[in-house]
Amino acid sequence: YAIRVMTKGNKPPSRLFTHMYQDSIFCPTLPGDTPPQKRFFDVIMMGCIPVVLEFDSGQEGKKSWHQNGGQPLENSYPWIQGSNSTDPKNEIDYRSFVVVVTGGVQNVRPAIEALMQNYTEVRRRQLTLMKYAPYFSYGMGADAHKYPDAFSKILEGLRFYVDGLSLGE
């Protein structure tokens, strides 16, 4: 409602959301049409901790952040632990920074309020998010090769794959 009022019925400009993400600690990224959602990575890039709903994927021991019976996390998020898409030491532990809510959307607010009682845990999640965020964008400029980014992460994955081929795995 507030966004509609602020934009007088027109589609809100993307810069509005950029400022909202940057000014927030937690950003719910509720399920959409496909796993994963672009906004999940948008909020990470803005330094906001994603809050997701968790569902059973229908595969034993695997969870989905998309929908009940949806794609398992290991098939949905790049370089996630357990995906076997890169060397295990280079995998991303999404659960180390994402707030995972079970039991439905009605539990989002209580989960965030409970977490807000523990400043140390919130700060730990923010620092972990900052560690992984560069992997979701491509560096630009003459010195882009000096810093890890999505391209370097892709190259790590390719190296892992090629090394596996040469070992006959």
Side-chain angles (χ1 to χ4, degrees):
Y1 175 75
I3 293 172
R4 186 176 304 144
V5 170
M6 290 169 33
T7 60
K8 298 180 183 161
N10 298 321
K11 182 178 176 186
S14 61
R15 69 183 177 280
L16 172 70
F17 292 106
T18 300
H19 293 297
M20 290 173 67
Y21 294 155
Q22 288 175 329
D23 292 342
S24 301
I25 296 172
F26 301 101
C27 292
T29 56
L30 301 177
D33 295 338
T34 61
Q37 294 294 304
K38 177 185 174 293
R39 68 181 161 273
F40 177 84
F41 299 102
D42 288 344
V43 301
I44 290 172
M45 295 305 299
M46 296 297 126
C48 190
I49 298 171
V51 179
V52 301
L53 298 177
E54 184 170 76
F55 307 93
D56 287 325
S57 71
Q59 296 184 26
E60 189 172 332
K62 305 226 182 220
K63 298 295 183 178
S64 173
W65 291 345
H66 179 233
Q67 63 187 10
N68 202 24
Q71 283 292 316
L73 297 173
E74 296 80 6
N75 298 345
S76 302
Y77 292 85
W79 313 296
I80 192 170
Q81 283 184 327
S83 66
N84 202 29
S85 62
T86 191
D87 187 319
K89 71 180 188 319
N90 295 325
E91 291 178 330
I92 295 176
D93 180 6
Y94 286 86
R95 290 181 182 277
S96 67
F97 62 91
V98 173
V99 176
V100 178
V101 178
T102 59
V105 72
Q106 69 275 9
N107 293 330
V108 170
R109 183 175 177 172
I112 292 172
E113 287 174 346
L115 190 54
M116 289 294 292
Q117 300 303 310
N118 186 344
Y119 171 80
T120 304
E121 176 60 13
V122 172
R123 189 65 183 144
R124 185 200 63 75
R125 288 176 190 255
Q126 289 174 320
L127 293 172
T128 304
L129 181 142
M130 289 169 52
K131 171 185 160 186
Y132 291 128
Y135 298 132
F136 302 113
S137 68
Y138 292 94
M140 303 296 283
D143 64 348
H145 66 285
K146 294 181 181 180
Y147 307 100
D149 66 354
F151 186 70
S152 64
K153 207 69 172 153
I154 290 168
L155 291 178
E156 283 176 6
L158 287 171
R159 170 55 57 198
F160 179 71
Y161 176 75
V162 169
D163 288 350
L165 289 176
S166 64
L167 295 173
E169 295 178 358

